[in-house]
Amino acid sequence: SNQHGSGGLVFSLGRKIAFFCALYCVSLWKIHSILSLEEDKPEQVLDANGQHQLTKSADKNSHSLLGTSPKKLQDKLDQEYRVHGRPYEGNLWELSDFAPAWMKEYFEWHKQERFRLVSSTEPDVWTKTPLLVMQCLKEEDSKCGGTADRTKPFLFLLREAYMTKRLMFIHWTLPAHLEEFLVPPVGGMDWRAPKPLQDMLVHRKTKGYKIFKGDILKSKRSKTTPIFQMRLQSVDGFRELYDDELVLGEASFEEVFHDAWRILFTPSLPVRQILESEMGRMGLIPGMYSAAHLRALYGRVKQRTEEQIWTLTSNAVNCASMLYPGTPILMASDLSRCTEVAVEYGKQKSAKVVAREHESLPLHLDKAGMEGRPPSEFYDTFVDLYLMGMSRCVTYNRGGFGQWASLLSHNSSCHHNQKTSVKGIGAPCNWTEGNGDTVDVNHESPVPLFVEPISSGS
């Protein structure tokens, strides 16, 4: 008996020693892997022909990923059009290489459930259905954040809607209905709130649960409250909360954003018409130019000297040239003098630098006094977003708007943060010439810039 006990003790001790040795080795391997990744992290650079080259970079303000495959949804839609001579006619999510299985499953379920509810004659059908609503209502929401901060969380909310099996809708009335600027595309997810749901939100015909923070929403997944009313705003769209739940092989927040956005949104007709006109006027081809966004007036800064304007602007243009050498550069800023200087600087460099000719600066959706203004006064915000979002690479500094455009771009891994502050420019760039070759943008037939909007009566 004692021999058995002694043998069991030795065996148990041996197992513990083996376990801790294994744990120690795994820890050393992980540390080595992380250090190796940091030391040898490759940066994706585009040559003048739009092809990817791999280089090593110590610049932590620029970030890029390996490879050119799989393709972004916009590139696949363009390819489908060229092959078949007509727009893609299926569900957009079926064409996506980046949308994970759970997201595609949710889109399909949402399509069926929304149709069932809209078609139902049952009087209380909406009150019996678990819902998640991204809202900004003039009746009860005084501040909802700027355009980027209130819109980017849609991807995080998609996951939460899937996890809690709730139908997700978006409903704005402040400063105007979102449908004035963005609408669901044909073949995409229809997030528009039907009239019965709009009435419920305004008149509180059912018990709702208002949530203002992403981490709080995750903690409420088990709640059976009929409606989760979301008024979230975040500079990064709750990227970390989304990526915390990635499974092996799943596309990250940054990687899937481009596709998911195009599955939910396409510009409204008035915004689309302006975009098509501006792209033609400036001679820009989607995916064949870089964009520079400069917030010159941020926080308490209300004005800039001419010297500061030239310093900040020339650096922003330099950064764009570094990301995609030898191609046109689109400049966007909250200060009109910056766009003027960018064009002048481009002439000095014998480069094509273009900018929109704003009669006035784009309005901020969350500033006081915006309620009651005609929707057309806010078009510029969405036009600027899409113009930058149709580029291949984006450089930005302060705020979330430029980062938002980068997520929408043809290569969201090709970006640079200028890191400007009251102390100066934290991540300066030098002007980068192309290799002498011009980019052939006419070798393929033109394709529609955008997917057609879903019909208003759907």
Side-chain angles (χ1 to χ4, degrees):
S1 174
N2 287 340
Q3 287 180 343
H4 267 302
S6 174
L9 179 62
V10 172
F11 179 68
S12 175
L13 183 60
R15 283 197 303 175
K16 289 182 179 179
I17 292 173
F19 170 77
F20 284 111
C21 285
L23 184 63
Y24 177 72
C25 291
V26 169
S27 300
L28 285 178
W29 176 79
K30 284 187 175 181
I31 292 171
H32 173 74
S33 299
I34 292 171
L35 290 175
S36 298
L37 283 172
E38 287 302 314
E39 291 173 0
D40 300 323
K41 191 175 186 178
E43 177 181 336
Q44 184 183 46
V45 178
L46 297 168
D47 63 21
N49 295 313
Q51 300 300 313
H52 296 268
Q53 300 174 327
L54 296 181
T55 62
K56 290 183 181 179
S57 173
D59 183 4
K60 296 182 180 179
N61 301 301
S62 298
H63 175 64
S64 54
L65 301 173
L66 284 171
T68 59
S69 294
K71 290 184 177 180
K72 294 289 188 179
L73 180 57
Q74 189 61 58
D75 295 324
K76 298 195 74 174
L77 288 169
D78 293 348
Q79 183 181 37
E80 284 283 320
Y81 187 89
R82 292 189 178 103
V83 170
H84 301 290
R86 63 179 184 274
Y88 179 69
E89 297 177 350
N91 294 321
L92 295 180
W93 55 86
E94 294 172 356
L95 203 59
S96 173
D97 290 336
F98 288 92
W102 66 262
M103 190 178 291
K104 294 182 179 182
E105 177 187 338
Y106 179 78
F107 287 144
E108 188 62 45
W109 175 78
H110 187 283
K111 178 181 177 180
Q112 296 172 5
E113 282 296 292
R114 189 186 191 281
F115 178 79
R116 180 183 68 83
L117 292 178
V118 172
S119 305
S120 176
T121 57
E122 187 180 344
D124 298 327
V125 65
W126 287 97
T127 61
K128 297 176 181 177
T129 304
L131 305 169
L132 186 154
V133 182
M134 287 181 68
Q135 72 172 47
C136 184
L137 307 179
K138 60 184 178 183
E139 293 85 358
E140 53 184 85
D141 298 315
S142 58
K143 292 183 71 67
C144 302
T147 319
D149 293 359
R150 73 163 78 170
T151 309
K152 276 191 292 187
F154 87 93
L155 190 55
F156 164 68
L157 292 177
L158 268 179
R159 186 191 289 279
E160 291 305 307
Y162 168 79
M163 296 294 290
T164 57
K165 204 168 183 180
R166 292 176 177 272
L167 275 176
M168 176 175 158
F169 294 95
I170 306 176
H171 187 47
W172 289 9
T173 58
L174 187 68
H177 286 266
L178 180 57
E179 292 88 327
E180 297 284 355
F181 319 111
L182 301 171
V183 290
V186 171
M189 185 187 116
D190 191 351
W191 43 263
R192 297 170 302 172
K195 188 64 167 60
L197 176 55
Q198 295 182 31
D199 293 340
M200 283 170 52
L201 294 172
V202 174
H203 303 298
R204 294 191 175 276
K205 291 184 178 180
T206 187
K207 184 180 179 183
Y209 196 98
K210 299 193 73 173
I211 300 176
F212 306 100
K213 294 184 178 180
D215 53 350
I216 292 179
L217 174 60
K218 291 182 69 171
S219 70
K220 303 295 182 184
R221 283 178 177 173
S222 61
K223 291 283 185 180
T224 57
T225 311
I227 301 181
F228 278 0
Q229 294 174 256
M230 314 305 305
R231 197 188 76 201
L232 298 180
Q233 61 180 95
S234 168
V235 172
D236 68 356
F238 300 105
R239 179 191 304 236
E240 289 187 10
L241 291 178
Y242 181 90
D243 286 345
D244 279 347
E245 300 195 65
L246 295 178
V247 299
L248 185 63
E250 182 179 343
S252 67
F253 181 97
E254 178 182 306
E255 293 167 327
V256 76
F257 195 97
H258 170 107
D259 284 23
W261 178 272
R262 283 162 174 79
I263 292 170
L264 267 73
F265 305 109
T266 195
S268 65
L269 182 58
V271 174
R272 173 178 177 165
Q273 290 173 337
I274 299 172
L275 281 165
E276 291 172 342
S277 173
E278 288 291 84
M279 289 289 285
R281 181 186 67 81
M282 293 186 286
L284 297 176
I285 306 296
M288 304 302 289
Y289 61 95
S290 61
H293 184 246
L294 177 63
R295 285 289 300 272
L297 307 178
Y298 190 81
R300 297 181 180 179
V301 179
K302 303 303 179 185
Q303 59 183 3
R304 292 285 189 179
T305 65
E306 185 71 2
E307 181 182 0
Q308 290 174 328
I309 289 172
W310 270 93
T311 300
L312 291 169
T313 302
S314 59
N315 182 71
V317 174
N318 287 347
C319 293
S321 76
M322 175 193 73
L323 291 172
Y324 200 179
T327 61
I329 296 171
L330 169 72
M331 181 70 187
S333 177
D334 60 350
L335 188 59
S336 57
R337 180 57 183 153
C338 289
T339 58
E340 294 169 358
V341 166
V343 174
E344 292 178 40
Y345 183 66
K347 292 177 181 178
Q348 294 178 12
K349 296 295 184 180
S350 300
K352 181 177 180 178
V353 178
V354 296
R356 291 194 68 206
E357 299 171 357
H358 287 291
E359 293 183 4
S360 59
L361 293 177
L363 295 177
H364 193 285
L365 266 65
D366 209 34
K367 295 292 185 183
M370 295 297 104
E371 185 179 348
R373 286 176 177 263
S376 58
E377 293 191 12
F378 299 97
Y379 289 164
D380 283 344
T381 297
F382 294 89
V383 170
D384 284 356
L385 169 69
Y386 268 96
L387 287 174
M388 291 193 294
M390 288 191 288
S391 69
R392 180 158 298 276
C393 303
V394 180
T395 178
Y396 49 81
N397 63 333
R398 307 294 296 273
F401 196 79
Q403 296 178 47
W404 187 18
S406 176
L407 290 169
L408 293 177
S409 69
H410 282 249
N411 182 3
S412 58
S413 62
C414 182
H415 60 77
H416 179 87
N417 187 342
Q418 301 149 36
K419 296 264 183 201
T420 61
S421 69
V422 292
K423 297 180 180 179
I425 300 171
C429 303
N430 294 319
W431 175 260
T432 305
E433 295 284 353
N435 60 11
D437 298 328
T438 57
V439 178
D440 180 11
V441 297
N442 298 311
H443 66 289
E444 293 180 317
S445 58
V447 298
L449 290 180
F450 307 104
V451 178
E452 290 296 317
I454 200 168
S455 63
S456 58
S458 299

